[in-house]
Amino acid sequence: MAKQNVYIDIFAGCGGLSTGLLKAGWTGLFAIEKNADAFSTLKYNLIDNKAHFLWPDWLPVQACDINEVLKKHAQELKALQGKVTLVAGGPPCQGFSMAGKRNKDDQRNKLVKSYIKFIKYVLPEVIIFENVHGFTVNFKNKKGTKQYSSYVERALKRLGYKTMHKIIDMSEYGIPQNRKRFILVAMKSHSPKSVFEALYNNRETFCSLKGIHCQTSVYEAISDLEKSHGTKPSPDSKGFQAGVYGPVQSGYQKLMRENMDANKEIPDSHRLVNHRKETIELHEILLAQAPIGKRITPSDNIIPGLNRRGVTVLNKDGQAPTITSIPDEIVHYSEPRILTVREHARIQSFPDWFEFKGKYTSGGDRRKKEVPRYTQVGNAVPPLFAEQIGLAIWEVLSSDGTE
């Protein structure tokens, strides 16, 4: 196992971070993801089709809980010390998110301790930790405050790491959405600051070489996926229509469609929603009357009968709001409908060869166990950003200077 290019992806989701690291030239050792739906997508794309992971014999190639891995395979993990360059990934963000029901008692918050334990066992040279902006905001309770980002940094420093974090807006890195994320880099023998400097300083050259703009518009991202280009029966859902490819209209679309069969008419997961008549009428009113690109809520009293927590009509010339697991919060810029999974994936910078598995949506109690396609996309790290930070780490590790 070559040390200088091997990483482990923990809390891997459907594989957004790993897809970017693959493009940046890294080799995966294995990925840990608890949810079977998300892991099936990762497995199909990165294990079955790309053979991206070396995968040790002692770990089953299946969905698994990080705490089970820590419990059953402590010795195998400790034996990886000195053999793994990078551990990437952050615990599920829902308990920290300012957009959701922020909850200091969310069981998922405890996975931060599991994360630190994993790092303590493996002791990689470099760590990338990604989470929502709210990860830096204190939880207040009777005992005072608890800031998880400070806890993580203190724990890593005790393990001998230098750390630095930034809140990064991914819309500055070619991603067509305003997505602010907490990014922490920790290194043993190099400067994390150098990684952030390389990431920022290289972005224009990176985007230029990819044939895209550092700020990509929604129109540049998804105009070739408009329903107006035509529809055909959905290949994976009886009773649904799917959009077909229109002509490439931007460098971003060309990039997303790289390595695709020129004869493929229907993009993966581009199933159109079967909206009720009233829903289409609501969307038509939103397109006609709602402020473009601005989130509105029922309490704004702009649209009568608005029954959603909040909704944004996309500004085709700007960036989308943060893609989440709730698809009905975004309405297409010119068509009276919500976006398809593929359109969400485009805005998240997943290449079109990346196919999503499992159900499209889920509801009720099933949401506690299932992670459908929309949620897989919304929870992911944008691959185009992951590629850039993967390259920045390469650059710093390849330099002679240490700090």
Side-chain angles (χ1 to χ4, degrees):
M1 185 193 306
K3 183 195 170 190
Q4 268 301 309
N5 67 348
V6 172
Y7 77 93
I8 298 168
D9 190 353
I10 58 178
F11 308 107
C14 70
L17 187 50
S18 283
T19 301
L21 292 177
L22 161 70
K23 291 283 287 179
W26 290 80
T27 298
L29 179 56
F30 60 85
I32 296 177
E33 170 52 43
K34 180 180 180 179
N35 180 267
D37 297 325
F39 188 82
S40 68
T41 294
L42 181 148
K43 182 175 182 293
Y44 176 83
N45 290 284
L46 298 175
I47 300 174
D48 299 346
N49 285 352
K50 295 289 183 185
H52 174 53
F53 292 94
L54 301 174
W55 216 277
D57 294 337
W58 51 264
L59 185 67
V61 184
Q62 63 188 41
C64 55
D65 186 293
I66 191 170
N67 290 316
E68 287 296 307
V69 175
L70 289 167
K71 185 177 174 183
K72 292 179 181 177
H73 300 292
Q75 295 311 310
E76 290 93 337
L77 291 172
K78 289 174 184 176
L80 294 174
Q81 291 181 18
K83 299 174 182 175
V84 174
T85 307
L86 170 66
V87 169
C93 63
Q94 289 86 346
F96 308 112
S97 176
M98 306 300 286
K101 296 179 180 178
R102 188 170 163 80
N103 179 10
K104 68 180 175 59
D105 298 318
D106 192 311
Q107 289 298 307
R108 291 170 294 199
N109 299 355
K110 295 179 181 177
L111 290 171
V112 171
K113 291 187 176 180
S114 307
Y115 176 90
I116 296 298
K117 193 172 184 181
F118 189 94
I119 298 296
K120 191 174 182 179
Y121 284 175
V122 177
L123 292 176
E125 172 62 31
V126 190
I127 296 159
I128 309 171
F129 184 104
E130 181 266 357
N131 218 296
V132 289
H133 183 190
F135 194 71
T136 61
V137 179
N138 291 340
F139 284 102
K140 294 182 180 179
N141 55 34
K142 293 177 182 176
K143 297 177 183 177
T145 62
K146 183 167 189 174
Q147 186 180 21
Y148 279 91
S149 60
S150 297
Y151 168 79
V152 169
E153 294 199 62
R154 285 196 305 270
L156 292 175
K157 284 173 182 174
R158 283 196 295 271
L159 293 174
Y161 290 94
K162 305 177 190 75
T163 70
M164 182 175 177
H165 77 262
K166 282 197 168 191
I167 303 298
I168 289 185
D169 186 345
M170 296 187 184
S171 71
E172 298 175 1
Y173 293 84
I175 317 299
Q177 64 176 304
N178 295 308
R179 189 179 189 88
K180 290 183 178 177
R181 283 297 184 267
F182 170 90
I183 305 291
L184 180 145
V185 176
M187 306 183 91
K188 279 186 178 177
S189 55
H190 291 75
S191 164
K193 183 180 178 183
S194 298
V195 172
F196 284 108
E197 287 173 349
L199 175 69
Y200 184 81
N201 292 337
N202 295 344
R203 66 198 175 106
E204 289 190 10
T205 302
F206 175 87
C207 290
S208 178
L209 288 170
K210 295 285 186 183
I212 65 173
H213 300 118
C214 283
Q215 285 209 307
T216 301
S217 73
V218 166
Y219 187 84
E220 288 176 305
I222 63 171
S223 64
D224 63 327
L225 301 177
E226 291 176 6
K227 186 179 179 182
S228 60
H229 296 303
T231 63
K232 290 202 165 186
S234 171
D236 63 10
S237 302
K238 190 176 180 181
F240 286 84
Q241 292 290 301
V244 301
Y245 276 120
V248 170
Q249 298 176 41
S250 69
Y252 187 89
Q253 292 169 20
K254 183 180 178 183
L255 178 65
M256 294 297 109
R257 286 166 67 164
E258 267 184 8
N259 302 317
M260 292 297 293
D261 180 353
N263 296 318
K264 186 175 174 70
E265 282 190 287
I266 302 174
D268 169 71
S269 300
H270 194 32
R271 187 188 87 175
L272 296 154
V273 175
N274 284 339
H275 286 309
R276 297 195 307 270
K277 183 186 173 189
E278 314 87 85
T279 305
I280 294 170
E281 289 170 353
L282 171 63
H283 289 161
E284 287 171 340
I285 293 169
L286 284 163
L287 285 168
Q289 299 179 19
I292 301 301
K294 183 180 182 297
R295 178 182 167 89
I296 61 169
T297 66
S299 61
D300 292 326
N301 294 318
I302 295 173
I303 305 297
L306 183 64
N307 59 355
R308 298 177 193 179
R309 189 177 70 171
V311 64
T312 304
V313 175
L314 288 176
N315 174 7
K316 73 173 189 174
D317 298 318
Q319 285 74 46
T322 302
I323 294 296
T324 70
S325 61
I326 306 170
D328 68 0
E329 291 191 345
I330 296 177
V331 172
H332 194 276
Y333 55 81
S334 66
E335 298 177 348
R337 62 179 180 85
I338 65 170
L339 303 188
T340 66
V341 169
R342 179 48 56 188
E343 287 168 323
H344 276 219
R346 277 283 189 85
I347 292 170
Q348 277 279 60
S349 77
F350 276 96
D352 284 15
W353 59 256
F354 193 99
E355 298 185 15
F356 296 90
K357 303 300 173 185
K359 295 179 179 177
Y360 276 80
T361 59
S362 189
D365 290 340
R366 298 196 309 275
R367 284 185 177 171
K368 295 175 183 176
K369 293 181 179 180
E370 296 174 352
V371 177
R373 296 184 197 190
Y374 277 107
T375 304
Q376 290 176 37
V377 176
N379 288 348
V381 177
L384 202 61
F385 177 80
E387 182 178 353
Q388 290 175 75
I389 200 164
L391 290 169
I393 290 168
W394 263 124
E395 183 176 317
V396 173
L397 290 177
S398 300
S399 67
D400 294 326
T402 61
E403 293 182 21

